[in-house]
Short mmCIF file of all heavy atoms in Angstrom, two decimals:
data_model
loop_
_atom_site.label_atom_id
_atom_site.label_comp_id
_atom_site.label_asym_id
_atom_site.label_seq_id
_atom_site.Cartn_x
_atom_site.Cartn_y
_atom_site.Cartn_z
N ASN A 300 -10.66 20.60 -17.87
CA ASN A 300 -9.90 20.24 -16.67
C ASN A 300 -8.59 19.56 -17.04
O ASN A 300 -8.61 18.56 -17.75
CB ASN A 300 -10.70 19.24 -15.80
CG ASN A 300 -11.27 19.86 -14.55
OD1 ASN A 300 -11.18 21.07 -14.34
ND2 ASN A 300 -11.85 19.04 -13.69
N ASP A 301 -7.47 20.08 -16.55
CA ASP A 301 -6.20 19.34 -16.65
C ASP A 301 -6.10 18.34 -15.51
O ASP A 301 -5.36 17.36 -15.60
CB ASP A 301 -5.00 20.30 -16.58
CG ASP A 301 -4.94 21.25 -17.76
OD1 ASP A 301 -5.53 20.93 -18.82
OD2 ASP A 301 -4.31 22.31 -17.63
N PHE A 302 -6.79 18.61 -14.43
CA PHE A 302 -6.85 17.70 -13.29
C PHE A 302 -8.17 17.93 -12.58
O PHE A 302 -8.84 18.94 -12.81
CB PHE A 302 -5.68 17.93 -12.31
CG PHE A 302 -5.67 19.29 -11.67
CD1 PHE A 302 -6.40 19.55 -10.52
CD2 PHE A 302 -4.93 20.33 -12.23
CE1 PHE A 302 -6.40 20.82 -9.94
CE2 PHE A 302 -4.92 21.59 -11.65
CZ PHE A 302 -5.66 21.83 -10.51
N TYR A 303 -8.53 16.99 -11.72
CA TYR A 303 -9.76 17.09 -10.93
C TYR A 303 -9.38 17.48 -9.50
O TYR A 303 -8.62 16.77 -8.84
CB TYR A 303 -10.50 15.75 -10.94
CG TYR A 303 -11.81 15.74 -10.19
CD1 TYR A 303 -13.02 15.87 -10.85
CD2 TYR A 303 -11.84 15.62 -8.79
CE1 TYR A 303 -14.23 15.87 -10.16
CE2 TYR A 303 -13.03 15.63 -8.09
CZ TYR A 303 -14.22 15.75 -8.78
OH TYR A 303 -15.42 15.76 -8.09
N GLY A 304 -9.90 18.61 -9.00
CA GLY A 304 -9.69 19.03 -7.61
C GLY A 304 -10.81 18.49 -6.75
O GLY A 304 -11.98 18.76 -7.01
N MET A 305 -10.47 17.71 -5.74
CA MET A 305 -11.48 16.99 -4.94
C MET A 305 -11.47 17.47 -3.49
O MET A 305 -10.49 17.31 -2.77
CB MET A 305 -11.16 15.49 -4.98
CG MET A 305 -12.09 14.63 -4.14
SD MET A 305 -11.49 12.91 -4.18
CE MET A 305 -12.83 12.08 -3.30
N ASN A 306 -12.58 18.06 -3.07
CA ASN A 306 -12.79 18.36 -1.65
C ASN A 306 -13.74 17.33 -1.09
O ASN A 306 -14.83 17.11 -1.64
CB ASN A 306 -13.39 19.76 -1.47
CG ASN A 306 -12.36 20.86 -1.65
OD1 ASN A 306 -11.23 20.61 -2.04
ND2 ASN A 306 -12.76 22.09 -1.37
N HIS A 307 -13.35 16.69 0.00
CA HIS A 307 -14.17 15.60 0.52
C HIS A 307 -13.98 15.47 2.03
O HIS A 307 -12.86 15.57 2.53
CB HIS A 307 -13.77 14.28 -0.17
CG HIS A 307 -14.48 13.09 0.41
ND1 HIS A 307 -15.81 12.83 0.16
CD2 HIS A 307 -14.05 12.12 1.25
CE1 HIS A 307 -16.16 11.73 0.82
NE2 HIS A 307 -15.11 11.29 1.48
N TYR A 308 -15.07 15.21 2.73
CA TYR A 308 -15.03 15.15 4.19
C TYR A 308 -15.77 13.96 4.80
O TYR A 308 -15.37 13.46 5.83
CB TYR A 308 -15.64 16.43 4.79
CG TYR A 308 -14.82 17.68 4.56
CD1 TYR A 308 -14.96 18.43 3.40
CD2 TYR A 308 -13.90 18.10 5.51
CE1 TYR A 308 -14.20 19.58 3.19
CE2 TYR A 308 -13.14 19.25 5.32
CZ TYR A 308 -13.29 19.98 4.16
OH TYR A 308 -12.53 21.11 3.95
N THR A 309 -16.88 13.54 4.17
CA THR A 309 -17.80 12.67 4.90
C THR A 309 -18.65 11.82 3.95
O THR A 309 -18.48 11.88 2.73
CB THR A 309 -18.71 13.53 5.81
OG1 THR A 309 -19.46 12.69 6.69
CG2 THR A 309 -19.67 14.38 5.00
N ALA A 310 -19.55 11.03 4.52
CA ALA A 310 -20.46 10.20 3.73
C ALA A 310 -21.85 10.23 4.37
O ALA A 310 -22.02 10.69 5.49
CB ALA A 310 -19.94 8.76 3.67
N ASP A 311 -22.84 9.75 3.62
CA ASP A 311 -24.23 9.75 4.10
C ASP A 311 -24.92 8.45 3.70
O ASP A 311 -24.59 7.84 2.68
CB ASP A 311 -25.06 10.87 3.44
CG ASP A 311 -24.37 12.21 3.45
OD1 ASP A 311 -24.30 12.81 4.53
OD2 ASP A 311 -23.93 12.67 2.38
N TYR A 312 -25.93 8.07 4.48
CA TYR A 312 -26.91 7.07 4.02
C TYR A 312 -28.02 7.83 3.32
O TYR A 312 -28.47 8.88 3.80
CB TYR A 312 -27.47 6.26 5.19
CG TYR A 312 -26.47 5.30 5.78
CD1 TYR A 312 -25.96 5.49 7.06
CD2 TYR A 312 -26.02 4.20 5.04
CE1 TYR A 312 -25.03 4.61 7.60
CE2 TYR A 312 -25.08 3.32 5.57
CZ TYR A 312 -24.59 3.53 6.85
OH TYR A 312 -23.67 2.67 7.37
N VAL A 313 -28.47 7.31 2.19
CA VAL A 313 -29.44 8.03 1.36
C VAL A 313 -30.72 7.22 1.16
O VAL A 313 -30.68 6.04 0.80
CB VAL A 313 -28.82 8.36 -0.03
CG1 VAL A 313 -29.87 8.97 -0.95
CG2 VAL A 313 -27.64 9.30 0.14
N LYS A 314 -31.83 7.90 1.40
CA LYS A 314 -33.16 7.31 1.27
C LYS A 314 -33.88 8.03 0.13
O LYS A 314 -33.83 9.26 0.04
CB LYS A 314 -33.90 7.54 2.59
CG LYS A 314 -35.06 6.62 2.86
CD LYS A 314 -35.56 6.90 4.29
CE LYS A 314 -36.72 5.99 4.63
NZ LYS A 314 -37.22 6.25 5.99
N HIS A 315 -34.54 7.28 -0.74
CA HIS A 315 -35.21 7.90 -1.89
C HIS A 315 -36.40 8.75 -1.46
O HIS A 315 -36.99 8.52 -0.39
CB HIS A 315 -35.69 6.83 -2.87
CG HIS A 315 -36.83 5.99 -2.34
ND1 HIS A 315 -36.65 4.91 -1.50
CD2 HIS A 315 -38.17 6.10 -2.52
CE1 HIS A 315 -37.83 4.39 -1.20
NE2 HIS A 315 -38.77 5.09 -1.79
N GLY A 316 -36.74 9.75 -2.27
CA GLY A 316 -37.89 10.61 -2.00
C GLY A 316 -39.17 10.01 -2.55
O GLY A 316 -39.20 8.86 -3.00
N ASP A 317 -40.24 10.82 -2.54
CA ASP A 317 -41.56 10.30 -2.92
C ASP A 317 -41.88 10.53 -4.39
O ASP A 317 -42.99 10.26 -4.85
CB ASP A 317 -42.65 10.92 -2.03
CG ASP A 317 -42.74 12.43 -2.21
OD1 ASP A 317 -42.01 13.00 -3.07
OD2 ASP A 317 -43.54 13.06 -1.49
#
Side-chain angles (χ1 to χ4, degrees):
N300 253 7
D301 295 338
F302 63 86
Y303 181 100
M305 177 186 186
N306 284 7
H307 175 74
Y308 291 87
T309 189
D311 313 287
Y312 289 112
V313 174
K314 201 173 181 180
H315 69 277
D317 63 4

